[in-house]
């Protein structure tokens, strides 16, 4: 058999094997979309009973505002009318008491508020706004400090590490876990390996955390002189994609808390541009995926599987140089193009067909 035909046959067999592994699994919105966690209240009233009642009601009100932030796009939030207590109570399925402490006229607690999905959606759609669902994507953060002597050890409890550790990210689209930095972590990954982006070492570390995203967050500069800069490298452990968060100056270590909030807001916004699912409309499209190498097909499959707006993917045909797919998706074709672009895929019209390929 000629070498060229032999190679094409091998590639075709491998491609077919990948196709038989099952359809690309599009992510479904998480089951906690209608649960708001970690609401702190501190209320004074005439007595302990009234303080507790007012504290719980305050938690519900704050949770309803946070729910709007989660389920309504920024441009539509101003159209959501105020919510009266009667309808609010009808929307709340339950309140979970994480911590609570009462005094004669004071109530201090941390509460989780669980909303009934159907009632919450009805309230929002009655307001004339589109309800969106954001799939959260947890991230493992490895805070590093590089000073004159080099990169500090993973267990160094400096101001940068503490700023990440105390960040409240539980209700964001990117809830974070900060690396523990204990001996188990250090056996898997050194600070120097994290700094240079040793993918094999990062993978060893992630066997413990199982995070879909790893953020190596780096501050550079002397701890005593003041002038610092912060930046990060983001690793997608599911697709292998790597992206940089540009380095910015920070005046002193006292500003690191604010720098962490800004960096996390950037991470949150980037993920929301992909993760928002508008379930009020859906459509389907047939696309052609050019295949120059086996990696092209693998990349497209992985990246499609990471886009929550993709409802399902069916392989219509598969050859050594191309694949034809049928995509079902939420939203419009324009929204799909923008979302796929954020996921590293280019969808473009080519004559009478749609072409999909890695960017």
């Amino acid at each position: 058999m000629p070498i060229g035909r032999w190679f094409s046959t091998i590639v075709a067999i491998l491609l077919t094997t990948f196709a038989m592994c099952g359809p690309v699994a599009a992510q479904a919105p998480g089951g906690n979309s209608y649960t708001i966690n970690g609401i702190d209240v501190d209320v004074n009233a005439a007595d302990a009973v009234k303080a507790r009642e007012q504290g719980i009601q305050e938690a519900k009100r704050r949770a309803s505002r946070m729910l709007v932030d989660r389920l309504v796009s920024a441009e539509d939030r101003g159209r959501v009318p105020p919510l009266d207590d009667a309808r609010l109570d009808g929307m709340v399925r339950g309140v979970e008491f994480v911590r609570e402490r009462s005094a004669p006229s004071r109530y201090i607690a941390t509460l989780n508020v669980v909303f009934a999905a159907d009632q919450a959606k009805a309230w929002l759609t009655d307001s004339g706004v589109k309800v969106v669902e954001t799939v959260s994507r947890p991230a493992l953060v490895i805070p590093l400090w590089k000073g004159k002597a080099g990169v500090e050890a993973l267990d160094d409890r400096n101001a940068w590490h503490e700023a990440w550790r105390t960040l409240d990210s539980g209700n964001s689209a990117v809830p974070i876990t900060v690396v523990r930095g204990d001996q188990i972590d250090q056996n898997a990954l050194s600070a120097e390996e994290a700094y240079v982006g040793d993918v094999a070492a990062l993978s060893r570390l992630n066997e413990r955390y199982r995070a879909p995203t790893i953020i190596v967050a780096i501050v550079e500069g002397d701890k005593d002189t003041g002038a610092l800069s912060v930046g990060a490298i983001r690793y997608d452990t599911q697709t292998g994609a790597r992206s940089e968060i540009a380095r910015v100056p920070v005046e002193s270590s006292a500003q690191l808390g604010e720098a962490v909030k800004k960096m996390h807001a950037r991470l949150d916004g980037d993920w929301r541009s992909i993760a928002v699912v508008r379930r009020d409309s859906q459509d389907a499209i047939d696309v052609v995926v050019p295949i120059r190498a086996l990696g092209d097909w693998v990349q497209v499959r992985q990246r499609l599987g990471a886009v929550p707006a993709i409802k399902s993917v069916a392989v219509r045909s598969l050859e050594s140089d191309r694949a034809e797919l049928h995509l079902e998706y939420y939203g419009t074709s324009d929204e799909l193009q923008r979302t796929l672009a954020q996921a590293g895929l280019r969808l473009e019209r080519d004559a009478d067909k749609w072409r999909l390929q890695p960017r």
Side-chain angles (χ1 to χ4, degrees), residues 215-279:
I215 309 296
V216 179
I218 303 168
V219 57
E220 295 194 11
D222 189 88
K223 292 181 180 179
D224 301 321
T225 59
L228 305 169
S229 65
V230 300
I233 305 295
R234 173 173 40 199
Y235 299 89
D236 188 318
T237 65
Q238 296 175 329
T239 68
R242 176 185 183 277
S243 59
E244 185 173 354
I245 298 174
R247 189 167 294 280
V248 296
V250 176
E251 290 183 5
S252 70
S253 58
Q255 306 300 318
L256 289 177
E258 189 61 29
V260 163
K261 291 178 182 177
K262 289 181 179 178
M263 187 178 290
H264 182 263
R266 161 76 185 277
L267 296 169
D268 188 83
D270 287 351
W271 176 239
R272 283 179 187 272
S273 66
I274 298 175
V276 168
V277 179
R278 300 181 184 274
R279 293 183 172 268

Side-chain angles (χ1 to χ4, degrees), residues 35-41 52-60 62-63 66 94-101 107-114 171:
T35 298
I36 305 297
N37 295 314
I39 302 174
D40 296 319
V41 293
R52 188 174 190 271
E53 291 174 350
Q54 292 177 20
I56 293 172
Q57 201 64 23
E58 179 184 319
K60 291 179 183 178
R62 288 172 53 192
M66 296 168 73
V95 175
E96 300 170 352
F97 299 86
V98 181
R99 290 183 292 274
E100 63 175 347
R101 181 162 58 91
Y107 179 69
I108 304 171
T110 300
L111 309 175
N112 301 335
V113 178
V114 183
N171 289 307

